[in-house]
Structure formats: C-alpha cells, structure tokens
Amino acid sequence: RSFNSLVWSGGVNYNLDKFQLKANIGKSFRMPIAKELAANGVNYHYFSYERGNTGLSPEQSYQADLGLSWHEEKWSVQVSPFFNYFSNYIYLNPTPDHDYFYGAGNQVFQYTQSKVMRYGGEVQLGYNLLKSLRAVLLGEYVHARQMSRDKKGYTLPFSPPPSVLLNLTWSPVLKQFLQDTYFSVDYRVKGRQHNIVPPEKKSPGYQVMNVQVGTKVHLHKQPLVISLQAQNLLNTRYLNHTSFYRLIELPEAGRNIILSLKIPFTK
C-alpha cells in the first residue's frame, strides 16, 4: 500500500503591548502505522488484546486554534480554544469481547476509524495577591463526537473529563544564601466522566492536592538546588479515566514524597 497527501498551514501572530493574539489553521496527514494495520495479540502494557485493521485509510485532519492573552501588572488572562475535524480518525475501539486464550480475560480492542469532531480549550487566570504571592486558576475542557460508523454519536475512548487547577505560589526573598525560594500548593479538581463509548466504564470525579518547596543555597561558591514535593498529599484513592490502568480498576499512586538535589557544575 502507498499513501500520499497535500498538507498546509497558515498562521498569524499579533503583538500589541500587553495584548497578544495567535491564530492558526491547517490540514494534517498521518498514515496508519504497522501496529494499527496488523496487530493481533496481547498488549501487556495496556492490559488489552488488540486487533489491527488492514483496511485503514490515512488519517486526515483540519484544525484551527486561537490564542489570546492579556498581561497587566497584577493579573493576566490567557484563552486558548481549538477545533479539529477528522475525516477518518484512527483509534482503538473497545469491544464487548474478551480474550481467554492468550490474555487471561483482557478486553479486546479493534483498530477502526470514524469521522470525528473535536473541540475544547484552556483558560488561565493569574493574579498577584501580594508582591511575592501569586494565584493561578487553570481550566481545561475537551469534547469529541464521532459522526460515522457504528459508534456514531458517542465520544472517543479514554476522553479526558473537564478539570480545574488552583495554584498558590509564594516566592519570598529570604537571606542572602537562600535564592529562588518558593512554596507552592496545587489543588486539582477532575470532573466525573460519564460521556463514554460503550462498553467503556464511567469514572467518578476526584480532588488531589500537591505541595512543593524549593530553594537554591550556596556552599562556598557551589550552588545547590533543593526541592521537596508531596504528590497526592491527602492520599486520595482515585481512578484516572485516561489511563489504561482504568481497565483493571487500578487506582493511581497514593501519597508520594520526592526529594531532589541538583548540583550544577560550571567551567
């Protein structure tokens, strides 16, 4: 088989003091890879049995995205919407079948393609509460809809739910031997995902908190960068809908403490 396509793109970038605008439109092309065409076996990394499809056509997409940002002394706003239309999107379609011969009951996924419309975006709001204290609110949303084939009207498998992230970062000016010191707290809220592709499972929403502390110290003339992170501080049990671990009901990692020491060397 041979594949070919004409692709193109165009964009504009406009800057005016505190305001910035970026816009792009284009067409992309991706030919099916060997796994998508000829897979027939257990994927031990993804807890699934995958079947290829030799009849797949090249994937083609028309896309448009826009970026708007406004920066002031104390606050900033960024908005980044996007839109995609795929005439033949390639994806792993979940089936009701299970493999009991090679994969100990893993769900069977079949590579297929469909017309797909997808849109969404990000919104980021930043505000300086104090000179050294900044708050950032980040929202993300993606919506996909199949427009052909047997799953017409449904979304795509493993579609991410909407999420909101609130970050507080304090960057105090401490003693001379402590530089670039910061204290940061993240609070992420993930919505439930009930917009699924049967027989995909629905996932409940969850909240996760992360804490980070870091600084740079000097021992004689040698700088040391030290950071301490506590991921999932409250040890929340939650399922990530976009992870293949979701297929076997395996929750994400619990409380995770990370101590990092970086020693930059210069000539």
Side-chain angles (χ1 to χ4, degrees), residues 1 19 31 48 75 80 91 93 102 109 111 118 128 143 159-160 174 182 214 227 230 236 248:
R1 300 184 63 186
F19 175 76
M31 65 181 186
S48 62
W75 57 269
S80 305
Y91 72 98
N93 179 36
Y102 307 103
F109 285 74
Y111 279 102
R118 184 174 63 182
N128 295 330
H143 179 83
S159 292
L174 302 179
Y182 65 90
S227 65
T236 302
I248 57 173

Side-chain angles (χ1 to χ4, degrees), residues 33-44 48-54 56 92 95 97-103 106-111:
I33 60 177
K35 180 177 71 170
E36 296 167 337
L37 293 169
N40 186 26
V42 179
N43 188 327
Y44 291 99
S48 62
Y49 190 97
E50 297 180 5
R51 290 177 180 159
N53 184 347
T54 57
L56 294 176
L92 268 177
T95 74
D97 302 326
H98 291 79
D99 165 47
Y100 294 102
F101 296 101
Y102 307 103
N106 287 323
Q107 186 176 358
V108 176
F109 285 74
Q110 172 77 50
Y111 279 102

Side-chain angles (χ1 to χ4, degrees), residues 89-153:
Y89 184 79
I90 299 174
Y91 72 98
L92 268 177
N93 179 36
T95 74
D97 302 326
H98 291 79
D99 165 47
Y100 294 102
F101 296 101
Y102 307 103
N106 287 323
Q107 186 176 358
V108 176
F109 285 74
Q110 172 77 50
Y111 279 102
T112 187
Q113 55 190 166
S114 169
K115 293 181 180 179
V116 171
M117 177 181 65
R118 184 174 63 182
Y119 59 86
E122 296 182 357
V123 177
Q124 179 175 313
L125 307 175
Y127 188 78
N128 295 330
L129 300 172
L130 300 171
K131 185 177 181 180
S132 58
L133 180 62
R134 181 170 177 82
V136 175
L137 183 67
L138 175 64
E140 300 174 336
Y141 176 77
V142 177
H143 179 83
R145 188 177 186 86
Q146 298 189 49
M147 305 174 66
S148 65
R149 303 296 176 94
D150 57 334
K151 297 295 177 67
K152 181 179 179 180

Side-chain angles (χ1 to χ4, degrees), residues 51-255:
R51 290 177 180 159
N53 184 347
T54 57
L56 294 176
S57 301
E59 183 180 281
Q60 300 189 65
S61 168
Y62 297 88
Q63 63 264 349
D65 60 85
L66 180 67
L68 299 171
S69 63
W70 190 286
H71 295 270
E72 292 287 349
E73 183 179 354
K74 281 195 171 185
W75 57 269
S76 63
V77 179
Q78 296 181 41
V79 181
S80 305
F82 70 88
F83 176 85
N84 292 105
Y85 172 75
F86 297 86
S87 59
N88 41 12
Y89 184 79
I90 299 174
Y91 72 98
L92 268 177
N93 179 36
T95 74
D97 302 326
H98 291 79
D99 165 47
Y100 294 102
F101 296 101
Y102 307 103
N106 287 323
Q107 186 176 358
V108 176
F109 285 74
Q110 172 77 50
Y111 279 102
T112 187
Q113 55 190 166
S114 169
K115 293 181 180 179
V116 171
M117 177 181 65
R118 184 174 63 182
Y119 59 86
E122 296 182 357
V123 177
Q124 179 175 313
L125 307 175
Y127 188 78
N128 295 330
L129 300 172
L130 300 171
K131 185 177 181 180
S132 58
L133 180 62
R134 181 170 177 82
V136 175
L137 183 67
L138 175 64
E140 300 174 336
Y141 176 77
V142 177
H143 179 83
R145 188 177 186 86
Q146 298 189 49
M147 305 174 66
S148 65
R149 303 296 176 94
D150 57 334
K151 297 295 177 67
K152 181 179 179 180
Y154 289 101
T155 184
L156 290 171
F158 303 103
S159 292
S163 68
V164 175
L165 173 68
L166 175 62
N167 171 267
L168 289 175
T169 301
W170 182 39
S171 305
V173 179
L174 302 179
K175 296 181 180 179
Q176 186 175 2
F177 63 92
L178 294 178
Q179 299 179 353
D180 301 329
T181 302
Y182 65 90
F183 301 86
S184 179
V185 178
D186 288 338
Y187 182 68
R188 180 178 292 277
V189 179
K190 281 276 188 178
R192 64 181 185 176
Q193 184 53 287
H194 286 189
N195 187 18
I196 60 171
V197 182
E200 192 178 24
K201 297 178 181 179
K202 298 178 180 179
S203 298
Y206 60 88
Q207 300 87 40
V208 176
M209 181 178 292
N210 303 319
V211 178
Q212 304 176 48
V213 179
T215 191
K216 180 191 290 185
V217 299
H218 289 265
L219 295 180
H220 300 291
K221 294 184 178 181
Q222 177 61 54
L224 302 176
V225 180
I226 304 172
S227 65
L228 177 66
Q229 299 182 48
Q231 300 175 347
N232 194 1
L233 180 65
L234 302 180
N235 203 30
T236 302
R237 184 189 187 279
Y238 66 98
L239 297 169
N240 182 357
H241 188 80
T242 62
S243 170
F244 278 90
Y245 290 118
R246 177 69 180 90
L247 298 176
I248 57 173
E249 303 288 344
L250 183 65
E252 296 300 301
R255 186 181 298 111

